[in-house]
Amino acid sequence: MSNAISCAAWRLYVIVDQAAAGGRDPAWIAAQAIRGGADVVQLRDKAGSTRDVVARAQAVLQVARDARVPLIINDRVDVAAAVGADGVHLGQDDLPVSAARRILGPDRLIGKSTHSLEQALDADREAVDYLAVGPLYPTPTKPDYPPVGVALIHQVKGRVRRPLVVIGGVEQATLADVLRAGASCVAVVRAVCAADDPEAAARELKRALTQFVPSPSCAGL
Amino acid sequence: MSNAISCAAWRLYVIVDQAAAGGRDPAWIAAQAIRGGADVVQLRDKAGSTRDVVARAQAVLQVARDARVPLIINDRVDVAAAVGADGVHLGQDDLPVSAARRILGPDRLIGKSTHSLEQALDADREAVDYLAVGPLYPTPTKPDYPPVGVALIHQVKGRVRRPLVVIGGVEQATLADVLRAGASCVAVVRAVCAADDPEAAARELKRALTQFVPSPSCAGL
């Protein structure tokens, strides 16, 4: 998709999950994550009313805009359109990509979660801007999905055109394995969102990512 | 709003609520309701994944299109846009009307739930096609809202430009009171959705509505 935002240069993708934030303000978490080096922020909020999600999205968007970091909204294409976010992230159980693209137009980002090589290849044929692959490790955030393992990164990377974001239980301890498997952009939920010091947690991850992946060439590009 | 569909002529507005349908297929309930005389159908589905809600909306839309009855989607503006439904119904906790109108364009219907004279007057100033007023009576479908009573119908009717749909615990036994208070279009959930014979239940309500409100002049117009 034509878009001024280049997903290929992303290294650290922080998902601010209302449930994982332990009652802390999502806008505060987002600000901390961005100060720590997040290249992109996603707001995931499955529990609130639409009006609540819109209010939280507006607050996070203000933080993201001030820092010139893109904000992606999980699932809710209507919320993304309503607040003017930079894009939407769709799971396999969310709106079809084609419908989201019709609503959002050509200039917003659309990411898609995939859990197998087949799903990644399918998504790569759609009007998406990046693919997420995971969960790599067991994670309480996605209890219904069996971990796919880091080997899938290498398999997918050679077969798709879109930039890859890898996700699912990645933390400081597992980061080296993930990067050796070919990832250049890592998405985290709990590793930042549930950290006592989200800014420090993001900074540590970003440092490791930047050391391992020096050049701005995201997987798949 | 300019719209080929005239809400003012509606008498019976049936809400197909996934939770109230007792496991029965929403498309079947919608078909029964339409055969019984529903002038408009709304799909309300708060529990399913977006993908599930889209699938159910598509199935109900097929039924509604075949019968040339408009289909309204509750809350989810993205789902309404994705399936090409005739409109959306917004609660006080849903997307703002202005945002929904931007996403849906000028030709789709937007309805808004209101629970007081003040909310009705506010909604009447927005880009809505009809107002819902209620809940008139205590109803398990809206446990958090105190009943407003039928007196509000008369108060609102004289002060707003939009057609009114009254809602909330209305059933055969209370219909006469509701109509005497000035309503001409009644929305029901359980009275049809949870009935053993939804078609017969809709037919009985429609007959009473047509007897009490012979001319096609909806409240407020």
Side-chain angles (χ1 to χ4, degrees):
Chain A
M1 294 294 101
S2 67
N3 201 298
I5 299 167
S6 170
C7 313
W10 291 345
R11 293 290 166 269
L12 180 60
Y13 183 130
V14 173
I15 298 169
V16 178
D17 185 316
Q18 185 68 11
R24 296 184 294 183
D25 176 15
W28 179 81
I29 303 263
Q32 293 274 307
I34 290 169
R35 267 198 293 273
D39 300 300
V40 52
V41 169
Q42 179 193 123
L43 179 65
R44 182 158 77 186
D45 188 337
K46 296 285 194 185
S49 72
T50 301
R51 186 63 64 106
D52 289 344
V53 179
V54 164
R56 289 194 277 262
Q58 284 170 328
V60 175
L61 184 62
Q62 187 62 56
V63 166
R65 283 270 183 279
D66 288 349
R68 298 174 180 269
V69 163
L71 172 66
I72 308 285
I73 303 293
N74 186 278
D75 177 10
R76 294 296 299 260
V77 177
D78 49 355
V79 172
V83 304
D86 300 288
V88 74
H89 186 86
L90 302 173
Q92 294 285 325
D93 291 331
D94 296 339
L95 223 58
V97 169
S98 55
R101 185 55 77 197
R102 277 200 308 276
I103 295 169
L104 293 174
D107 296 331
R108 306 280 164 179
L109 298 174
I110 298 182
K112 176 91 181 241
S113 288
T114 68
H115 313 295
S116 66
L117 177 59
E118 189 183 5
Q119 285 183 358
L121 295 176
D122 283 348
D124 195 48
R125 284 187 285 266
E126 297 186 285
V128 301
D129 296 280
Y130 69 89
L131 304 178
V133 175
L136 299 177
Y137 301 99
T139 166
T141 315
K142 289 278 179 193
D144 300 335
Y145 289 91
V148 297
V150 294
L152 186 61
I153 300 172
H154 191 73
Q155 284 179 50
V156 170
K157 193 179 167 181
R159 308 266 310 263
V160 299
R161 294 171 300 150
R162 317 288 183 188
L164 287 190
V165 175
V166 302
I167 186 168
V170 183
E171 51 195 39
Q172 199 66 37
T174 51
L175 195 57
D177 279 348
V178 168
L179 296 173
R180 270 194 290 269
S184 57
C185 180
V186 169
V188 292
V189 184
R190 288 172 310 129
V192 169
C193 234
D196 288 339
D197 185 339
E199 179 179 344
R203 181 166 289 120
E204 273 305 294
L205 288 164
K206 183 65 177 283
R207 185 178 297 144
L209 279 160
T210 314
Q211 279 176 348
F212 270 85
V213 195
S215 73
S217 60
C218 213
L221 281 196
Chain B
M1 292 293 102
S2 67
N3 200 297
I5 298 168
S6 169
C7 312
W10 292 345
R11 293 289 167 269
L12 179 60
Y13 183 130
V14 173
I15 298 170
V16 178
D17 185 316
Q18 185 67 12
R24 298 183 293 184
D25 176 16
W28 179 82
I29 302 263
Q32 293 273 307
I34 290 168
R35 267 199 292 274
D39 299 301
V40 51
V41 169
Q42 179 193 125
L43 180 65
R44 182 158 76 185
D45 188 338
K46 295 285 193 186
S49 72
T50 301
R51 186 63 64 104
D52 288 343
V53 178
V54 164
R56 289 195 276 263
Q58 284 170 328
V60 175
L61 185 61
Q62 188 62 56
V63 166
R65 284 270 183 280
D66 289 349
R68 299 175 180 271
V69 162
L71 173 66
I72 308 286
I73 304 294
N74 186 279
D75 177 8
R76 293 298 297 261
V77 177
D78 49 357
V79 172
V83 304
D86 299 288
V88 74
H89 186 87
L90 302 172
Q92 294 285 324
D93 291 332
D94 296 339
L95 224 58
V97 168
S98 56
R101 185 55 78 195
R102 277 200 307 275
I103 296 170
L104 294 174
D107 296 331
R108 307 278 165 178
L109 298 175
I110 298 181
K112 177 90 181 246
S113 288
T114 68
H115 312 294
S116 66
L117 176 59
E118 189 182 5
Q119 286 183 357
L121 296 176
D122 283 349
D124 196 49
R125 284 188 283 266
E126 298 185 285
V128 300
D129 297 281
Y130 70 90
L131 304 177
V133 175
L136 299 178
Y137 300 99
T139 167
T141 315
K142 289 279 178 191
D144 299 336
Y145 289 91
V148 297
V150 294
L152 186 62
I153 300 172
H154 189 73
Q155 284 179 48
V156 170
K157 194 180 165 181
R159 308 266 310 263
V160 299
R161 294 170 301 149
R162 317 288 183 188
L164 287 190
V165 176
V166 302
I167 187 168
V170 183
E171 50 195 42
Q172 201 65 38
T174 49
L175 195 56
D177 278 348
V178 169
L179 296 173
R180 269 194 290 269
S184 57
C185 181
V186 168
V188 292
V189 185
R190 289 172 307 129
V192 168
C193 234
D196 289 339
D197 184 340
E199 180 180 344
R203 181 165 291 120
E204 273 304 293
L205 288 164
K206 184 65 178 283
R207 184 177 298 143
L209 280 159
T210 313
Q211 278 177 347
F212 270 84
V213 196
S215 73
S217 60
C218 214
L221 281 195

